[in-house]
Amino acid sequence: MPPNRVKGDFTVTSFGYPTPKERTMSNEPPDNKIEEWNLKKSQGILEDAHGHLPVGCRRSPAQDTHHDLPHRDASPTEAREVDGHPGGLHLVGKDVKTALDAIDKIRGLVGGIVTEIPQVVLVGDQSSGKSSLLSAIAGINLPRGGSTCTRCPTNIKTSEGPAWECEVSLHISFSYDQTKKATARSYHFWAQNPTTDVVPFKTIREESELEDVLKWAQIALLNPSISPQEFVPDSNLENVAFLQHKQLRENNAVKEQAVYSPNVIAISISAPGLPALSFFDLPGLIVSAASDQYLPEAFRTMTREYVRHEKSLIICAMAMHIDPQNSTARLLIRQERAEHRCVGVLTNSDRVTDTSEYTEILQGHEYKLKHGYFITRQPGPDWKTPPGPQYHQFAREYETKFFEESRLWREGAEWACFRDRCGTEVIQKYLSKTFVGLIYSCIPEIHSTVLEELEKVEHELSSLPKVNDKAQVTVRTRLNSLENGLRGLLDNSSNVFHSQWKELCNQFSKALDAMRPMCDCAHPSDKQVKPTIYELDSDSCGEGASPVKTSPVKLVKRSGEDLGNIISPKKTKLAPKEETSPTLSLPIYRRPGVDVDEWRKANTRSKGDLGPFWEPYTDWGKGMMTLSTLKTEISKQIPAGVPDGSLDKIKREYALQSVARWDAPLQTFLAATFDILSATFQQQLDTDIKREYNETEFYKRSQAIIASFLKRSKETLHDQTMRLFKVEKSALFTMNNASFENHKKRALEWFKGRRRMARIEAYCQVYPTPAYTKALTFSQGDPRREEFMAEVYSKFKMDKLGEDKFQSEIALASYIRAYYMTARQRFCDSVCAAVNAHLIDDMFKALEYYVQAELKIDEGGEVRCQELLAGNAKVVKRRMELEDNRKRLQESLDWIRKLRQDSSADVLDTTMKDGE
């Protein structure tokens, strides 16, 4: 097996002494290195491919340049010196401080938009020594021991400051709920809050106080119903509640409310020269719990949440006295596919019993991790040195002595070849170098984020007003352009407005045509057959069309009735009583209970190209006249014994009633006209003013003035056109007799044709012809049905029916229709002409210098224009904020460029190329 083994997307390196086969393969020298290789072999210092020596071989001081452990010079403080450098967190971050300082500078410039730097997450099984390991790496004292084991996440964040100081706070993201059951991504007894509350706990300036403060911070989280302030340690004995809680726990007289908590203890440490780092210590994973069965899964859920953080470097602690196959933490990391972000640390190295399996691990053959494994030996509970300023110094000396004297690690022993990965300081140095790559890998993302934010700032700035020292020139220039543009919209017949308005005029004409009065040409006396009602679509062939060639009359099928039964006269139901005269003042298109939306659903075919005029009022003419009502009215108007009485009153009432609802389409026409005007005016306003002065009073006032102008123009035009409408509905009048006679002739032909078809239809229902019977076998709309009905109409002999007794009524209906069509054309032309004249003449002239006058530019001059352009204080303040943000973002880009140009940052160059 070769020494470098690939798994996934990373290489697992064999850090241990190779097998005989590997030794032979890896130590095979190239041709030009034979003499050097033989010399080293004769001196007994032949290294393998990874720089490892055979068992029993050590380098001389002159030979050992990067594998030796650092010398230790004791200092009386916790931040001891090692090889001239501070220890603890200073040692962890010494190689990345330059890059972190630059990133902190960028974060200071642009606030929270920059991605946070990578963090270390420490995981392991319970009693694997991970908290002791974190204490050693960070150089601080964390609570340890069976009674104070980790029961909630602890986050250690470091930063530079003038003196050592530590702020401990509680980050409350979950509420305790004893009814809450766990799910795949939630916790037993804990419910997620919508926000995180940060509760300050205590600030200390003596490192010796930290361990006790952290112990009580955890107790506070495990008692969520009690105020955290009751658990704050108080050396002055002023916190009475704390003293009571302390006494209860010393006497074992109380039990914590919760066994664990997903809420976080946040430890923020600042000190001179301290880099910005982040560590998370999580509760140890357990396989089972005697009383709290939910606890193992809760800890696994918590660990998964932190392990899945893609920018986390995971330290997996594994105790060497435990079979590695039973490590819950290692198994979880494998399940989450996080081996490429994981550093293995083997603890309890003094308690190992079976070396064979751990030899395989150290050689990289089993349980492979990208960063391999390190070994540490932390003092146990029986160690005599108490926590204090020199605790970690003595602990490192203790650790070094252990590896020098241990039967497995000392010179010439079985695992002596792994000494270059032993000890806390080796781990600290490796973390430092690994952080270089992780931190620099964030630079492309930071660069992209800063560019995106800068683009947002530039975009928002472009929409805000600029400071202008020639405000009056700017305002007058913009207003002149606006007013000329608005007048051009009204004057230029080829522009968008006039094109839309021309279409609106055509729709207005079609809506009036759809409202023409119609007559039901069937009568109950036509062989006692229910009359056929002709809908609008059956009366839309145009007035010049031949009535015989139109669509056949539609049979109205009653619910549950077979059309075949209609053929038998015995089964034909009697027609209803003759209709009475309609109340002419009743708006037919708005009968009680008619809903506009329901009407539209039922009349989709009538929409056509009516546009905004597709309203129920277009049904105004439907059912306005029937032969029954006309006959009744005629009988009322002609006295008995007068064979040819005058019908002028009936004609006048019906003709005026037919135009009585023109006010509805007129209102639609005016509203739609000014909707088009408003939209086109707004487009012109956007072009000339809004684009650069959106948030200024200049734009807001101009917009309000134009809206007011249009409103007054609409009111004026409404009054003018309503006068035209009132003239039409007040009296019958026309001088265009030729047009009237032409319309009457067409209407008479139309109604006669419809009357003939209705009589034939009624006759055939009682005495069906073969063609009629055949037609009934096809559904409505089927061309074959229309073909057979056309044959019925064309071959029918009208002498079978005799003379029509409703000729007077048909003539009356034709007169009413003729007057309507004559008045419709006149009214439509008059209204459109009035609107057109008002737009082109009145509004065109009124717009000249109108906006400038309303803004009082002449009265206020430069001062007034400055006020209009400046906008309100909020807008001015926002512009200043954005300009400052832009400056900061541009400065942060300069820092990023400096980082990229740093010739000493080889990792950065590689990372940036990969990121780009």
Side-chain angles (χ1 to χ4, degrees), residues 232-252:
V232 177
D234 183 13
S235 58
N236 296 326
L237 305 180
E238 295 179 357
N239 189 345
V240 178
F242 168 73
L243 297 177
Q244 293 175 348
H245 287 301
K246 183 178 181 181
Q247 185 66 37
L248 289 172
R249 280 157 181 80
E250 288 176 350
N251 297 332
N252 294 322

Side-chain angles (χ1 to χ4, degrees), residues 566-586:
I566 300 176
I567 298 175
S568 174
K570 295 182 180 180
K571 295 184 179 181
T572 302
K573 295 184 179 181
L574 294 176
K577 295 171 63 177
E578 291 191 1
E579 303 174 37
T580 58
S581 176
T583 304
L584 297 183
S585 61
L586 176 66

Side-chain angles (χ1 to χ4, degrees), residues 160-283:
E160 187 167 10
W164 194 95
E165 184 178 85
C166 178
E167 294 181 1
V168 179
S169 58
L170 310 180
H171 289 202
I172 312 297
S173 303
F174 297 84
S175 299
Y176 190 62
D177 182 359
Q178 290 183 306
T179 64
K180 177 75 169 57
K181 301 298 181 182
T183 63
R185 299 180 65 89
S186 64
Y187 298 106
H188 206 85
F189 293 160
W190 293 93
Q192 178 88 45
N193 296 335
T195 59
T196 298
D197 293 332
V198 178
V199 180
F201 192 69
K202 188 172 185 178
T203 299
I204 57 176
R205 293 174 179 83
E206 294 293 335
E207 295 181 55
S208 58
E209 300 179 28
L210 181 57
E211 183 174 3
D212 194 49
V213 171
L214 295 183
K215 180 183 75 172
W216 285 101
Q218 178 168 276
I219 293 174
L221 288 182
L222 297 179
N223 294 274
S225 67
I226 304 174
S227 170
Q229 298 306 314
E230 293 191 16
F231 298 99
V232 177
D234 183 13
S235 58
N236 296 326
L237 305 180
E238 295 179 357
N239 189 345
V240 178
F242 168 73
L243 297 177
Q244 293 175 348
H245 287 301
K246 183 178 181 181
Q247 185 66 37
L248 289 172
R249 280 157 181 80
E250 288 176 350
N251 297 332
N252 294 322
V254 67
K255 184 179 180 181
E256 316 305 347
Q257 295 175 357
V259 178
Y260 78 104
S261 173
N263 294 314
V264 179
I265 300 175
I267 308 169
S268 298
I269 302 175
S270 60
L274 204 60
L277 300 174
S278 178
F279 296 83
F280 274 95
D281 182 27
L282 303 178

Side-chain angles (χ1 to χ4, degrees), residues 357-394:
E357 192 161 18
Y358 280 101
T359 298
E360 292 293 307
I361 291 175
L362 291 170
Q363 289 179 343
H365 298 167
E366 296 292 339
Y367 310 128
K368 304 171 186 178
L369 301 177
K370 176 183 178 180
H371 298 282
Y373 289 84
F374 293 84
I375 308 95
T376 182
R377 169 69 171 100
Q378 302 301 325
D382 56 343
W383 199 43
K384 303 300 183 182
T385 304
Q390 295 183 322
Y391 175 86
H392 292 285
Q393 172 197 340
F394 295 148

Side-chain angles (χ1 to χ4, degrees), residues 363-625:
Q363 289 179 343
H365 298 167
E366 296 292 339
Y367 310 128
K368 304 171 186 178
L369 301 177
K370 176 183 178 180
H371 298 282
Y373 289 84
F374 293 84
I375 308 95
T376 182
R377 169 69 171 100
Q378 302 301 325
D382 56 343
W383 199 43
K384 303 300 183 182
T385 304
Q390 295 183 322
Y391 175 86
H392 292 285
Q393 172 197 340
F394 295 148
R396 299 292 72 75
E397 294 174 352
Y398 171 86
E399 183 180 44
T400 301
K401 184 177 180 181
F402 166 78
F403 285 115
E404 289 177 346
E405 299 178 354
S406 170
R407 62 180 179 83
L408 292 173
W409 307 97
R410 64 193 176 202
E411 184 175 348
E414 180 181 356
W415 285 346
C417 53
F418 303 125
R419 283 288 302 276
D420 59 347
R421 297 183 73 83
C422 292
T424 300
E425 290 170 4
V426 175
I427 300 173
Q428 290 171 324
K429 287 183 177 182
Y430 186 85
L431 290 177
S432 177
K433 292 178 181 179
T434 306
F435 257 97
V436 171
L438 288 176
I439 292 170
Y440 280 134
S441 68
C442 296
I443 300 298
E445 184 176 350
I446 294 174
H447 185 252
S448 176
T449 302
V450 171
L451 285 177
E452 290 178 4
E453 189 67 19
L454 181 60
E455 184 179 354
K456 293 178 183 178
V457 170
E458 294 285 7
H459 178 73
E460 187 174 354
L461 275 172
S462 66
S463 66
L464 294 181
K466 301 177 181 178
V467 178
N468 195 330
D469 56 354
K470 296 181 180 179
Q472 187 170 186
V473 174
T474 299
V475 170
R476 290 189 182 277
T477 300
R478 296 288 181 177
L479 289 178
N480 286 334
S481 176
L482 173 66
E483 291 169 347
N484 290 335
L486 295 179
R487 297 174 74 202
L489 292 173
L490 300 176
D491 186 43
N492 186 358
S493 60
S494 64
N495 63 32
V496 175
F497 165 73
H498 280 278
S499 175
Q500 293 178 347
W501 188 68
K502 180 180 178 181
E503 177 62 22
L504 184 67
C505 291
N506 290 331
Q507 292 169 341
F508 179 45
S509 176
K510 292 175 182 178
L512 294 176
D513 184 65
M515 296 174 66
R516 66 190 182 276
M518 290 179 282
C519 179
D520 180 359
C521 294
H523 190 270
S525 64
D526 298 336
K527 302 300 180 180
Q528 296 298 313
V529 177
K530 182 177 175 64
T532 303
I533 298 176
Y534 299 92
E535 301 295 344
L536 177 60
D537 59 353
S538 68
D539 194 16
S540 58
C541 301
E543 300 222 3
S546 173
V548 176
K549 295 181 180 180
T550 59
S551 301
V553 178
K554 301 176 182 178
L555 281 175
V556 178
K557 179 181 177 181
R558 301 179 181 88
S559 177
E561 182 179 20
D562 187 354
L563 285 175
N565 293 336
I566 300 176
I567 298 175
S568 174
K570 295 182 180 180
K571 295 184 179 181
T572 302
K573 295 184 179 181
L574 294 176
K577 295 171 63 177
E578 291 191 1
E579 303 174 37
T580 58
S581 176
T583 304
L584 297 183
S585 61
L586 176 66
I588 296 175
Y589 80 102
R590 282 296 178 98
R591 298 184 181 90
V594 175
D595 180 81
V596 175
D597 292 334
E598 291 298 324
W599 178 88
R600 287 178 175 172
K601 291 179 181 179
N603 292 271
T604 54
R605 293 184 180 181
S606 67
K607 181 177 181 180
D609 55 355
L610 291 177
F613 299 93
W614 187 45
E615 295 285 343
Y617 57 68
T618 55
D619 278 352
W620 173 249
K622 286 185 178 182
M624 182 177 178
M625 299 178 291

Side-chain angles (χ1 to χ4, degrees), residues 134-180:
L134 181 57
S135 296
I137 293 174
I140 61 175
N141 295 322
L142 298 175
R144 297 189 299 275
S147 61
T148 56
C149 61
T150 306
R151 292 290 180 170
C152 56
T154 302
N155 180 209
I156 304 173
K157 287 187 177 181
T158 62
S159 61
E160 187 167 10
W164 194 95
E165 184 178 85
C166 178
E167 294 181 1
V168 179
S169 58
L170 310 180
H171 289 202
I172 312 297
S173 303
F174 297 84
S175 299
Y176 190 62
D177 182 359
Q178 290 183 306
T179 64
K180 177 75 169 57

